[in-house]
Amino acid sequence: MKIISLNKGLGALWYPFIIGFLLSCTPALANNRLRPMLSVRQQNPINGIITDGTSPLPGVTISIKGKRNNTVSSDFNGQYILSANATDTLIVSFIGFKTAIVPIKGRKTVNIQLLEDITSLQEVRVNAGYYSVKEKERTGSIARITAKDIEKQPVTNVLAAMQGRMAGVNIVQSSGIAGSGFDIKIRGQNSLRTDGNAPLYIIDGVPYASDPIGVGYTATVMPLPTSPLNNINPGDIESIEILKDADATAIYGSRGANGVVLLTTKKGKAGKTTFSFNLNRGTAQVTRFADLMKTQQYLEMRREAFANDGVTIYPANAYDVNGTWDLNRYTDWQKKLTGGTAQITNVQSSISGGSALTQFLISGNYGKETTVFPGDFNYQKGNIRVNLNHTSEDKRFKTNFAAGYTLQDNDQPAKDYTVESRTLAPNAPALYDEEGNLNWENGTFNNPLRNLQGEFLAKTYDLVSNLMLSYRLLPNMEIKSNLGFTDLKHQESSSQPSTVYDPAWEVGPEYSLISIGNTTRQSWIIEPQLNYRQNLQDDLELDVLLGSTFQQQTARKLVQRASGFTSNSLINNLAAASDIAVDIDDYSVYKYQAFFGRVNLNWKKKYIFNLTGRRDGSSRFGPGKQFAAFGAVGAAWLFSEESFLTNSVLSFGKLRTSYGITGSDQIGNYQFLDTYSATGGNYQGVIGLVPTRLFNPNFAWETNRKLEVALEMGFLKDKIFLTLASFSNRSSNQLVGTPLPSTTGFTSIQANLDATVQNSGIEVTLRTLNLETKNFSWSTSFNATALKNKLLSFPDLEASTYRNQFAIGAPLNIRKMYHFEGVNPQTGFYQFKDVNGDGKITADADKTAIVDLNPKFYGGLQNQIRYKNWQLDFLFQFVKQQNLNTAAVGFPGMLGNQAAALSNHWQKPGDIATYQRFTTGMDAGAVTAQINYYSSDGVVTDASFIRLKNIALSYNLPKNWLGCAACKIVMEGQNLLTFTHYKGADPEFLTTNSLPPLKIVTAGIQLNF
């Protein structure tokens, strides 16, 4: 059967379509050849369409300069009509856009494109979760990006679109492998547990669980377990709001302790039916390789190591130096194994429109990304989304329905080739023999491509749906209910067939292995709400919100391992295995209930008071501890509205502050109960049980106290806008495993530890409109965050099992290490500080050097430059940090490549060198010193970087070229340039020696008609 690639056939499919479309539109070019001129004095009808460059704008105000009572608004199709003289001038205004002054100049049809006005953003309403608020009137800390920022980035994960764009939000990519995840921390790490710091994700009002849906050994190619956040399509997102302080997050109670990420999807707009189509194609490559030894330097290292160890005749297994392998051969294994070019395709289309009462949007997306590794691997994702809005004719009843379904299919090699690409000897043999088979070089070469037969396979099916119903009972009172449902099914496996072994070993499929994980997760939520608004006096506005939450989530996880197959072709069929083991078989139910409220007072539009509270109940705690109350108070003073500041250069000024308490129940289910697990062993026909957890009735909530003070100022009509925020968060009553004596039969019991963690810092955000004319504009956005994380208290820390992990007064993300004191000039060994002076280097006594791996500060600098139909956007991300040197791998002198920097090593007594003497592993002193070196601060290096995170260049084709459509040509890049002194490969990583983030370049076309 002949298989036709859809990817390869796309060009043939779309070329006729685009050419035919262009030809069908060309008659529009003739319409503007001769334009009828109007009488100068006569009143004539003038019509046209108002757009933002891509879509029509309804509700735009159009008036005639110098004339009263002659004002109209554009309809739902962006169309308008009014009577005017040929010499009149139109004034066109709309919130969020610059006012346009357009002379008629005798024209009968005047189409107008409005430009976004960044200086009027204070009037934009911001999503705060259960309510929305004008940007200038918010009392909480909320960071925001919109679809205009997201659509310029060739990314598949929404977290990637946020990197470097928001103050207080630190996001790190775990790997460059397609489908891998990201780590996000909002204003630092609050919990002692690394898995207790995730924020709450809300998609159109529906909580979306971000807990991993895989385990490590079913996703062996990934550095971290599989994250469900890849299911979210960035192209569907209209805006992302990050709630950071207590005032913004307390209304979410225990779920908002680590911040809240609000994702709002795109909705249909009233007006004519609009079809959009976006096609992007591009490539991706590794950003940066480690600087490793070439063959000559490598062989010199090996020969010197043997000489140091007193070996004059090379052993039979020293294939790289004894002549078994070609001594003149050189292969750059980084380029060979991880230096490929991944192909990227992304297609997004939508149809939207509707009337004044009913609007709809239907969108679809398909994406495919191949790999930089050898082999035919790829990651595919497709999704469809529907959004429907309806309002009754009397404007009292409103409803919104939104649903999105995503399918992911990820096929990757079972192993990440990054480690082998950095450790293979540069003169290792060719990968294939003359006949095209894997080359094992007579049993001397462990061919890295052996893992091509092993695969990581993952399929995910994800549904997120939401229904909102609201009814206005009274002019000032509205009832609303939000209903949501999610359904996720995920299966992944990692296989290791017998073909990974040298055929000479004659290993058959009975030794083939596979690990399979299945995860299902369903949740529902119902949130009835009552909202009341009233003007108590002419200058005092009251806004009250009351509501409740009823939520339940069920989850099932089954992880199995199988071996003993009759054929490798049956490795994915568990029925063909002779040995099957069940490692995990979990079923859990999480129930959550809450009552919440908000009272907002706004006096004279300049004094604002906001009070929020929530009473939470969680099934994760025992009797008497299941409920807790949280709340916050926020206040703002718009001092620019005071009379003494009128007519000044200060166009906007606000001082705001907030304080509150949020909680956390991110500890997993049933942690307070006595629990048992099946042993898996069969004893006389009976499967036994083993106790796994002890009962703790005092198990209760973590608490997080947050304080913030912020100043917002706009100058010169907000052309310069500055925000300064200072915050301090203290998290206490930590949920951790408290150590127990071994005589209890348990190592720990889940309990609340009286430890306190503090995160304090300063955030700076600056937005400027540098230059603006009719055809040219240039704006800049800058954000920076300096944050300090500290463990304030931990009772009896030195007597606990956490003594080697934490230190009072130090950050949580630290390493306790030996203090490196260089290379001993006489012995050539690494030497370290002997803290207790006993003449020995031991972990308990001498690991006292504390290395902080948290970033000192981070941020981004974004510029947007527009010239006529051209637009250039670029973002530089910067991070000041230190991290482990990924170029330091293995033992220098043994079989395996090393960093080129090792040329500065000790060779004879008296040498002052950076690195110790080489050894093949026979010198016990050198081996011990090398092991200690990897546990010392000598392996820590500056990992700060400045990265051209994103660049996007676009051109809007003139409308008279196509007539019936708007067309934009775009070129986008991600991670294009990295400036760093880091000694390893790429400075952005969560685990060492994983594939670095990829450098992506795409080109595309966007059509709207």
Side-chain angles (χ1 to χ4, degrees):
M1 179 185 295
K2 183 178 180 181
I3 299 176
I4 300 176
S5 170
L6 175 62
N7 209 23
K8 294 181 179 178
L10 278 174
L13 176 64
W14 289 112
Y15 291 153
F17 169 79
I18 295 174
I19 293 173
F21 171 76
L22 295 175
L23 291 175
S24 67
C25 294
T26 48
L29 298 174
N31 292 339
N32 295 323
R33 299 286 179 160
L34 295 175
R35 189 166 52 203
M37 301 300 291
L38 301 178
S39 169
V40 173
R41 298 180 180 178
Q42 181 181 358
Q43 290 280 321
N44 297 283
I46 308 298
N47 64 73
I49 300 176
I50 313 293
T51 70
D52 62 358
T54 56
S55 305
L57 294 175
V60 179
T61 301
I62 305 101
S63 60
I64 299 176
K65 185 177 182 179
K67 295 184 179 180
R68 298 181 178 180
N69 303 322
N70 201 347
T71 300
V72 299
S73 297
S74 60
D75 62 16
F76 301 111
N77 296 319
Q79 298 176 343
Y80 74 94
I81 184 170
L82 81 170
S83 297
N85 294 332
T87 56
D88 282 340
T89 299
L90 302 180
I91 298 178
V92 186
S93 59
F94 192 53
I95 292 178
F97 292 83
K98 297 183 182 300
T99 299
I101 300 175
V102 184
I104 295 177
K105 294 182 179 180
R107 293 175 292 177
K108 184 177 180 180
T109 299
V110 182
N111 295 325
I112 302 168
Q113 176 181 336
L114 296 183
L115 300 176
E116 184 180 6
D117 185 4
I118 68 169
T119 63
S120 67
L121 293 181
Q122 296 304 311
E123 298 298 325
V124 174
R125 298 196 72 85
V126 177
N127 180 17
Y130 292 104
Y131 60 95
S132 63
V133 61
K134 280 187 178 181
E135 172 69 24
K136 70 177 182 180
E137 295 177 354
R138 63 177 173 85
T139 54
S141 180
I142 303 176
R144 184 173 189 257
I145 63 172
T146 65
K148 292 184 178 180
D149 302 301
I150 299 171
E151 66 185 10
K152 298 166 187 173
Q153 304 181 67
V155 296
T156 59
N157 190 305
V158 291
L159 296 184
M162 296 158 52
Q163 280 187 295
R165 296 179 183 269
M166 296 179 171
V169 182
N170 186 35
I171 300 174
V172 181
Q173 187 171 352
S174 66
S175 172
I177 298 172
S180 60
F182 290 76
D183 178 71
I184 177 173
K185 287 185 177 63
I186 299 175
R187 289 186 169 176
Q189 180 177 339
N190 296 312
S191 177
L192 296 177
R193 295 171 292 108
T194 56
D195 60 350
N197 296 283
L200 170 68
Y201 294 87
I202 303 288
I203 304 176
D204 290 335
V206 180
Y208 189 79
S210 61
D211 304 329
I213 52 177
V215 294
Y217 56 89
T218 59
T220 50
V221 71
M222 302 292 184
L224 298 176
T226 306
S227 169
L229 297 177
N230 282 305
N231 294 323
I232 304 170
N233 174 32
D236 289 337
I237 304 302
E238 180 63 34
S239 67
I240 302 175
E241 277 91 1
I242 304 291
L243 313 186
K244 297 184 286 188
D245 72 330
D247 178 78
T249 61
I251 199 167
Y252 284 100
S254 64
R255 299 178 300 172
N258 298 315
V260 183
V261 180
L262 300 177
L263 301 161
T264 304
T265 61
K266 295 177 179 178
K267 297 176 174 59
K269 298 179 181 179
K272 69 176 184 178
T273 300
T274 302
F275 176 77
S276 69
F277 173 79
N278 300 339
L279 172 63
N280 288 273
R281 293 292 305 271
T283 60
Q285 295 178 315
V286 169
T287 51
R288 199 165 178 263
F289 293 118
D291 184 15
L292 303 178
M293 293 181 175
K294 303 293 192 297
T295 299
Q296 182 178 355
Q297 184 183 2
Y298 170 78
L299 293 178
E300 289 175 355
M301 175 193 71
R302 288 281 283 157
R303 290 164 182 155
E304 185 178 327
F306 279 114
N308 289 343
D309 294 342
V311 177
T312 57
I313 300 177
Y314 299 135
N317 61 355
Y319 311 119
D320 52 344
V321 292
N322 65 9
T324 303
W325 295 350
D326 188 349
L327 299 179
N328 297 312
R329 180 180 177 81
Y330 172 70
T331 302
D332 187 335
W333 290 112
Q334 291 186 100
K335 292 184 178 179
K336 199 78 170 180
L337 298 178
T338 62
T341 300
Q343 301 295 322
I344 297 175
T345 300
N346 190 69
V347 181
Q348 177 99 17
S349 63
S350 68
I351 183 169
S352 63
S355 64
L357 301 178
T358 304
Q359 304 89 42
F360 71 92
L361 181 144
I362 303 173
S363 66
N365 169 266
Y366 171 76
K368 181 178 180 181
E369 180 180 345
T370 61
T371 179
V372 297
F373 297 138
D376 185 17
F377 301 99
N378 63 78
Y379 167 70
Q380 299 182 77
K381 181 167 72 172
N383 84 298
I384 185 169
R385 173 163 289 276
V386 177
N387 197 297
L388 180 64
N389 301 294
H390 177 71
T391 304
S392 62
E393 290 188 6
D394 60 3
K395 310 294 184 183
R396 301 184 71 175
F397 175 75
K398 296 180 181 179
T399 183
N400 170 254
F401 172 75
Y405 187 77
T406 303
L407 167 63
Q408 289 188 88
D409 187 354
N410 202 0
D411 180 4
Q412 301 292 333
K415 302 289 184 182
D416 185 342
Y417 288 99
T418 304
V419 173
E420 285 189 283
S421 73
R422 297 174 183 174
T423 57
L424 271 178
N427 68 327
L431 296 173
Y432 295 96
D433 59 23
E434 295 179 354
E435 298 179 358
N437 300 315
L438 284 185
N439 178 26
W440 300 93
E441 198 70 11
N442 298 318
T444 65
F445 179 42
N446 199 19
N447 196 312
L449 297 190
R450 66 192 183 278
N451 292 311
L452 282 178
Q453 301 301 318
E455 287 184 296
F456 163 72
L457 300 174
K459 286 185 180 292
T460 308
Y461 307 87
D462 190 38
L463 170 68
V464 180
S465 59
N466 166 255
L467 176 64
M468 186 280 293
L469 303 170
S470 70
Y471 186 77
R472 182 164 49 84
L473 292 172
L474 301 172
N476 298 325
M477 182 181 293
E478 180 184 51
I479 58 172
K480 183 171 73 171
S481 185
N482 182 57
L483 301 94
F485 177 75
T486 70
D487 184 25
L488 181 145
K489 296 180 177 62
H490 175 78
Q491 181 185 55
E492 64 182 26
S493 65
S494 287
S495 60
Q496 181 180 307
S498 59
T499 50
V500 301
Y501 303 107
D502 188 340
W505 297 1
E506 297 182 350
V507 175
E510 64 274 14
Y511 292 98
S512 296
L513 306 172
I514 189 170
S515 299
I516 299 177
N518 289 276
T519 301
T520 60
R521 186 183 291 166
Q522 286 187 342
S523 70
W524 57 260
I525 187 171
I526 300 174
E527 292 187 307
Q529 301 166 48
L530 173 67
N531 189 234
Y532 177 78
R533 295 183 179 91
Q534 179 68 49
N535 291 329
L536 300 180
Q537 300 175 2
D538 291 341
D539 295 330
L540 181 61
E541 299 176 6
L542 172 67
D543 192 340
V544 178
L545 171 69
L546 298 174
S548 60
T549 299
F550 305 91
Q551 180 184 351
Q552 178 174 301
Q553 177 178 291
T554 59
R556 174 74 186 271
K557 179 176 288 186
L558 176 64
V559 179
Q560 299 169 286
R561 287 180 293 113
S563 61
F565 294 89
T566 57
S567 170
N568 283 323
S569 61
L570 298 173
I571 196 170
N572 291 298
N573 185 352
L574 291 184
S578 61
D579 185 14
I580 301 176
V582 177
D583 289 346
I584 302 174
D585 189 356
D586 283 346
Y587 177 80
S588 62
V589 179
Y590 168 57
K591 294 182 179 180
Y592 174 86
Q593 179 181 334
F595 298 94
F596 59 87
R598 170 182 180 257
V599 177
N600 181 269
L601 291 172
N602 190 328
W603 184 37
K604 294 184 177 182
K605 296 290 185 181
K606 55 184 176 181
Y607 308 110
I608 304 170
F609 175 81
N610 194 59
L611 177 66
T612 55
R614 192 176 184 103
R615 177 74 172 173
D616 275 352
S618 172
S619 64
R620 290 175 173 167
F621 303 105
K625 302 290 184 180
Q626 292 179 324
F627 291 90
F630 308 99
V633 58
W637 172 34
L638 276 69
F639 56 84
S640 56
E641 298 297 320
E642 301 291 352
S643 57
F644 60 82
L645 284 175
T646 57
N647 300 320
S648 69
V649 295
L650 183 72
S651 52
F652 179 82
K654 179 173 71 174
L655 180 66
R656 58 177 172 84
T657 185
S658 67
Y659 176 78
I661 302 175
T662 58
S664 176
D665 66 350
Q666 290 190 24
I667 192 62
N669 298 311
Y670 314 126
Q671 299 292 311
F672 69 96
L673 288 172
D674 277 326
T675 57
Y676 297 82
S677 297
T679 61
N682 189 324
Y683 179 72
Q684 295 184 351
V686 178
I687 303 297
L689 294 176
V690 58
T692 54
R693 191 177 293 115
L694 289 174
F695 176 65
N696 182 3
N698 298 318
F699 196 56
W701 306 75
E702 282 186 0
T703 56
N704 196 341
R705 290 171 171 81
K706 300 183 178 183
L707 172 66
E708 179 182 44
V709 178
L711 178 65
E712 301 177 12
M713 294 183 294
F715 302 92
L716 303 175
K717 297 182 179 180
D718 290 357
K719 290 184 178 180
I720 301 174
F721 199 91
L722 174 68
T723 300
L724 299 173
S726 175
F727 63 89
S728 178
N729 303 338
R730 289 194 175 187
S731 180
S732 57
N733 214 28
Q734 295 280 331
L735 292 169
V736 294
T738 301
L740 292 176
S742 58
T743 54
T744 63
F746 293 86
T747 57
S748 65
I749 181 174
Q750 295 296 332
N752 293 97
L753 185 67
D754 189 21
T756 301
V757 178
Q758 176 177 283
N759 289 283
S760 58
I762 296 175
E763 296 174 358
V764 179
T765 302
L766 177 65
R767 186 184 70 241
T768 62
L769 181 57
N770 306 315
L771 186 62
E772 183 179 40
T773 65
K774 178 181 179 181
N775 294 322
F776 181 84
S777 67
W778 171 28
S779 61
T780 301
S781 296
F782 171 81
N783 75 84
T785 303
L787 185 145
K788 188 172 183 179
N789 176 264
K790 183 188 296 185
L791 179 61
L792 296 181
S793 65
F794 192 125
D796 299 322
L797 174 61
E798 291 304 319
S800 74
T801 56
Y802 294 104
R803 65 182 179 276
N804 294 322
Q805 186 177 352
F806 302 120
I808 302 296
L812 298 184
N813 186 24
I814 62 169
R815 295 284 181 92
K816 283 192 171 183
M817 313 183 88
Y818 299 119
H819 178 57
F820 179 63
E821 294 186 336
V823 177
N824 187 308
Q826 300 305 314
T827 64
F829 296 155
Y830 291 133
Q831 55 188 6
F832 310 91
K833 185 176 181 179
D834 183 5
V835 178
N836 63 355
D838 64 354
K840 297 181 294 184
I841 300 298
T842 57
D844 287 340
D846 299 318
K847 278 191 175 182
T848 58
I850 296 177
V851 177
D852 181 7
L853 298 181
N854 289 301
K856 297 294 184 293
F857 60 83
Y858 55 87
L861 176 65
Q862 181 180 5
N863 280 272
Q864 183 182 97
I865 301 172
R866 180 190 59 84
Y867 177 69
K868 293 185 177 179
N869 290 351
W870 292 91
Q871 182 168 310
L872 174 66
D873 296 81
F874 57 92
L875 167 71
F876 282 97
Q877 176 195 11
F878 57 87
V879 179
K880 174 63 176 178
Q881 64 180 1
Q882 57 182 0
N883 215 328
L884 305 180
N885 181 7
T886 57
V889 179
F891 293 85
M894 297 180 68
L895 178 60
N897 207 356
Q898 292 289 330
L902 264 67
S903 58
N904 182 16
H905 66 279
W906 186 94
Q907 292 180 290
K908 63 182 185 303
D911 282 352
I912 305 299
T914 303
Y915 300 97
Q916 75 166 10
R917 62 186 293 169
F918 295 148
T919 179
T920 62
M922 300 176 66
D923 187 333
V927 171
T928 300
Q930 188 70 42
I931 294 174
N932 290 339
Y933 174 72
Y934 288 138
S935 297
S936 77
D937 54 10
V939 78
V940 177
T941 183
D942 181 18
S944 305
F945 65 90
I946 299 175
R947 172 169 282 165
L948 180 56
K949 191 65 184 179
N950 173 254
I951 186 169
L953 177 65
S954 64
Y955 178 72
N956 287 297
L957 271 64
K959 290 198 170 183
N960 59 355
W961 286 21
L962 301 179
C964 59
C967 180
K968 180 190 290 187
I969 307 298
V970 296
M971 290 192 66
E972 298 169 347
Q974 199 83 354
N975 302 324
L976 292 187
L977 296 173
T978 303
F979 305 95
T980 182
H981 294 296
Y982 182 59
K983 295 180 180 179
D986 193 275
E988 181 182 353
F989 61 89
L990 291 173
T991 59
T992 58
N993 292 305
S994 58
L995 186 72
L998 301 185
K999 175 174 58 180
I1000 302 172
V1001 178
T1002 66
I1005 183 172
Q1006 300 177 6
L1007 291 171
N1008 292 275
F1009 51 90

